[in-house]
PDB file of all heavy atoms in Angstrom:
ATOM      1  N   GLU I 366      95.422  70.436 154.798  1.00 96.00           N
ATOM      2  CA  GLU I 366      95.078  69.753 156.054  1.00 96.00           C
ATOM      3  C   GLU I 366      93.827  70.333 156.689  1.00 96.00           C
ATOM      4  O   GLU I 366      93.143  69.662 157.442  1.00 96.00           O
ATOM      5  CB  GLU I 366      96.240  69.884 157.050  1.00 96.00           C
ATOM      6  CG  GLU I 366      97.300  68.863 156.857  1.00 96.00           C
ATOM      7  CD  GLU I 366      98.305  68.939 157.985  1.00 96.00           C
ATOM      8  OE1 GLU I 366      98.008  68.433 159.082  1.00 96.00           O
ATOM      9  OE2 GLU I 366      99.376  69.531 157.765  1.00 96.00           O
ATOM     10  N   GLU I 367      93.561  71.626 156.436  1.00 95.00           N
ATOM     11  CA  GLU I 367      92.400  72.264 157.060  1.00 95.00           C
ATOM     12  C   GLU I 367      91.160  72.225 156.179  1.00 95.00           C
ATOM     13  O   GLU I 367      90.136  72.782 156.548  1.00 95.00           O
ATOM     14  CB  GLU I 367      92.738  73.714 157.425  1.00 95.00           C
ATOM     15  CG  GLU I 367      93.703  73.788 158.579  1.00 95.00           C
ATOM     16  CD  GLU I 367      93.726  75.151 159.243  1.00 95.00           C
ATOM     17  OE1 GLU I 367      93.563  76.152 158.548  1.00 95.00           O
ATOM     18  OE2 GLU I 367      93.905  75.190 160.459  1.00 95.00           O
ATOM     19  N   MET I 368      91.287  71.620 155.014  1.00 95.00           N
ATOM     20  CA  MET I 368      90.127  71.558 154.114  1.00 95.00           C
ATOM     21  C   MET I 368      89.252  70.350 154.464  1.00 95.00           C
ATOM     22  O   MET I 368      89.751  69.228 154.557  1.00 95.00           O
ATOM     23  CB  MET I 368      90.594  71.426 152.657  1.00 95.00           C
ATOM     24  CG  MET I 368      91.213  72.682 152.117  1.00 95.00           C
ATOM     25  SD  MET I 368      89.990  73.994 152.037  1.00 95.00           S
ATOM     26  CE  MET I 368      91.068  75.418 151.909  1.00 95.00           C
ATOM     27  N   PRO I 369      87.953  70.584 154.639  1.00 92.00           N
ATOM     28  CA  PRO I 369      87.076  69.444 154.938  1.00 92.00           C
ATOM     29  C   PRO I 369      86.763  68.656 153.659  1.00 92.00           C
ATOM     30  O   PRO I 369      87.043  69.134 152.557  1.00 92.00           O
ATOM     31  CB  PRO I 369      85.812  70.133 155.452  1.00 92.00           C
ATOM     32  CG  PRO I 369      85.797  71.452 154.773  1.00 92.00           C
ATOM     33  CD  PRO I 369      87.239  71.845 154.586  1.00 92.00           C
ATOM     34  N   ARG I 370      86.168  67.481 153.839  1.00 92.00           N
ATOM     35  CA  ARG I 370      85.803  66.669 152.673  1.00 92.00           C
ATOM     36  C   ARG I 370      84.851  67.413 151.751  1.00 92.00           C
ATOM     37  O   ARG I 370      84.914  67.283 150.539  1.00 92.00           O
ATOM     38  CB  ARG I 370      85.098  65.411 153.169  1.00 92.00           C
ATOM     39  CG  ARG I 370      85.988  64.240 153.086  1.00 92.00           C
ATOM     40  CD  ARG I 370      85.285  62.966 153.389  1.00 92.00           C
ATOM     41  NE  ARG I 370      86.299  62.069 153.899  1.00 92.00           N
ATOM     42  CZ  ARG I 370      86.129  61.187 154.848  1.00 92.00           C
ATOM     43  NH1 ARG I 370      84.958  61.071 155.434  1.00 92.00           N
ATOM     44  NH2 ARG I 370      87.114  60.431 155.229  1.00 92.00           N
ATOM     45  N   THR I 371      83.961  68.207 152.367  1.00 93.00           N
ATOM     46  CA  THR I 371      82.956  68.897 151.549  1.00 93.00           C
ATOM     47  C   THR I 371      83.597  69.886 150.571  1.00 93.00           C
ATOM     48  O   THR I 371      82.948  70.329 149.634  1.00 93.00           O
ATOM     49  CB  THR I 371      81.982  69.686 152.452  1.00 93.00           C
ATOM     50  OG1 THR I 371      82.759  70.473 153.356  1.00 93.00           O
ATOM     51  CG2 THR I 371      81.062  68.761 153.221  1.00 93.00           C
ATOM     52  N   ALA I 372      84.866  70.231 150.801  1.00 94.00           N
ATOM     53  CA  ALA I 372      85.538  71.169 149.891  1.00 94.00           C
ATOM     54  C   ALA I 372      85.931  70.493 148.578  1.00 94.00           C
ATOM     55  O   ALA I 372      86.330  71.170 147.627  1.00 94.00           O
ATOM     56  CB  ALA I 372      86.761  71.773 150.564  1.00 94.00           C
ATOM     57  N   GLU I 373      85.828  69.140 148.549  1.00 95.00           N
ATOM     58  CA  GLU I 373      86.150  68.367 147.334  1.00 95.00           C
ATOM     59  C   GLU I 373      87.386  68.935 146.633  1.00 95.00           C
ATOM     60  O   GLU I 373      87.324  69.345 145.459  1.00 95.00           O
ATOM     61  CB  GLU I 373      84.957  68.364 146.360  1.00 95.00           C
ATOM     62  CG  GLU I 373      83.726  67.684 146.930  1.00 95.00           C
ATOM     63  CD  GLU I 373      82.502  67.833 146.031  1.00 95.00           C
ATOM     64  OE1 GLU I 373      82.679  68.013 144.814  1.00 95.00           O
ATOM     65  OE2 GLU I 373      81.381  67.783 146.561  1.00 95.00           O
ATOM     66  N   PRO I 374      88.521  68.982 147.344  1.00 97.00           N
ATOM     67  CA  PRO I 374      89.678  69.700 146.784  1.00 97.00           C
ATOM     68  C   PRO I 374      90.254  69.068 145.524  1.00 97.00           C
ATOM     69  O   PRO I 374      90.411  67.852 145.453  1.00 97.00           O
ATOM     70  CB  PRO I 374      90.703  69.647 147.920  1.00 97.00           C
ATOM     71  CG  PRO I 374      90.306  68.478 148.744  1.00 97.00           C
ATOM     72  CD  PRO I 374      88.818  68.348 148.636  1.00 97.00           C
ATOM     73  N   VAL I 375      90.553  69.915 144.565  1.00 98.00           N
ATOM     74  CA  VAL I 375      91.353  69.486 143.414  1.00 98.00           C
ATOM     75  C   VAL I 375      92.700  70.163 143.601  1.00 98.00           C
ATOM     76  O   VAL I 375      92.770  71.390 143.725  1.00 98.00           O
ATOM     77  CB  VAL I 375      90.734  69.944 142.081  1.00 98.00           C
ATOM     78  CG1 VAL I 375      91.663  69.581 140.919  1.00 98.00           C
ATOM     79  CG2 VAL I 375      89.367  69.325 141.886  1.00 98.00           C
ATOM     80  N   VAL I 376      93.756  69.355 143.681  1.00 98.00           N
ATOM     81  CA  VAL I 376      95.092  69.925 143.893  1.00 98.00           C
ATOM     82  C   VAL I 376      95.896  69.777 142.602  1.00 98.00           C
ATOM     83  O   VAL I 376      95.975  68.689 142.036  1.00 98.00           O
ATOM     84  CB  VAL I 376      95.815  69.213 145.055  1.00 98.00           C
ATOM     85  CG1 VAL I 376      97.216  69.800 145.246  1.00 98.00           C
ATOM     86  CG2 VAL I 376      95.015  69.332 146.339  1.00 98.00           C
ATOM     87  N   VAL I 377      96.460  70.893 142.144  1.00 97.00           N
ATOM     88  CA  VAL I 377      97.308  70.861 140.951  1.00 97.00           C
ATOM     89  C   VAL I 377      98.738  71.161 141.382  1.00 97.00           C
ATOM     90  O   VAL I 377      99.003  72.210 141.978  1.00 97.00           O
ATOM     91  CB  VAL I 377      96.846  71.915 139.908  1.00 97.00           C
ATOM     92  CG1 VAL I 377      97.749  71.876 138.675  1.00 97.00           C
ATOM     93  CG2 VAL I 377      95.382  71.701 139.536  1.00 97.00           C
ATOM     94  N   LEU I 378      99.636  70.217 141.132  1.00 97.00           N
ATOM     95  CA  LEU I 378     101.055  70.443 141.449  1.00 97.00           C
ATOM     96  C   LEU I 378     101.823  70.624 140.140  1.00 97.00           C
ATOM     97  O   LEU I 378     101.721  69.791 139.241  1.00 97.00           O
ATOM     98  CB  LEU I 378     101.640  69.244 142.212  1.00 97.00           C
ATOM     99  CG  LEU I 378     101.011  68.883 143.561  1.00 97.00           C
ATOM    100  CD1 LEU I 378     101.782  67.726 144.207  1.00 97.00           C
ATOM    101  CD2 LEU I 378     100.972  70.078 144.497  1.00 97.00           C
ATOM    102  N   ARG I 379     102.605  71.694 140.058  1.00 96.00           N
ATOM    103  CA  ARG I 379     103.351  71.993 138.825  1.00 96.00           C
ATOM    104  C   ARG I 379     104.843  71.886 139.119  1.00 96.00           C
ATOM    105  O   ARG I 379     105.326  72.441 140.126  1.00 96.00           O
ATOM    106  CB  ARG I 379     102.996  73.428 138.399  1.00 96.00           C
ATOM    107  CG  ARG I 379     103.766  73.973 137.234  1.00 96.00           C
ATOM    108  CD  ARG I 379     103.202  73.433 135.928  1.00 96.00           C
ATOM    109  NE  ARG I 379     103.924  73.934 134.767  1.00 96.00           N
ATOM    110  CZ  ARG I 379     104.971  73.316 134.219  1.00 96.00           C
ATOM    111  NH1 ARG I 379     105.439  72.187 134.730  1.00 96.00           N
ATOM    112  NH2 ARG I 379     105.543  73.811 133.142  1.00 96.00           N
ATOM    113  N   ALA I 380     105.558  71.149 138.278  1.00 95.00           N
ATOM    114  CA  ALA I 380     107.015  71.059 138.445  1.00 95.00           C
ATOM    115  C   ALA I 380     107.652  70.803 137.084  1.00 95.00           C
ATOM    116  O   ALA I 380     106.981  70.343 136.159  1.00 95.00           O
ATOM    117  CB  ALA I 380     107.380  69.940 139.411  1.00 95.00           C
ATOM    118  N   SER I 381     108.942  71.089 136.974  1.00 93.00           N
ATOM    119  CA  SER I 381     109.632  70.864 135.694  1.00 93.00           C
ATOM    120  C   SER I 381     109.932  69.396 135.473  1.00 93.00           C
ATOM    121  O   SER I 381     109.854  68.889 134.360  1.00 93.00           O
ATOM    122  CB  SER I 381     110.942  71.647 135.651  1.00 93.00           C
ATOM    123  OG  SER I 381     110.686  72.996 135.849  1.00 93.00           O
ATOM    124  N   LYS I 382     110.308  68.705 136.595  1.00 94.00           N
ATOM    125  CA  LYS I 382     110.651  67.283 136.471  1.00 94.00           C
ATOM    126  C   LYS I 382     109.916  66.498 137.547  1.00 94.00           C
ATOM    127  O   LYS I 382     109.635  67.061 138.625  1.00 94.00           O
ATOM    128  CB  LYS I 382     112.154  67.095 136.695  1.00 94.00           C
ATOM    129  CG  LYS I 382     112.973  67.689 135.566  1.00 94.00           C
ATOM    130  CD  LYS I 382     114.443  67.450 135.788  1.00 94.00           C
ATOM    131  CE  LYS I 382     115.141  68.769 135.990  1.00 94.00           C
ATOM    132  NZ  LYS I 382     116.176  68.898 136.858  1.00 94.00           N
TER     133      LYS I 382
END
Side-chain angles (χ1 to χ4, degrees):
E366 276 188 78
E367 289 198 326
M368 289 295 162
R370 256 188 207 144
T371 50
E373 297 173 25
V375 175
V376 179
V377 180
L378 299 184
R379 174 79 180 91
S381 303
K382 291 182 245 144

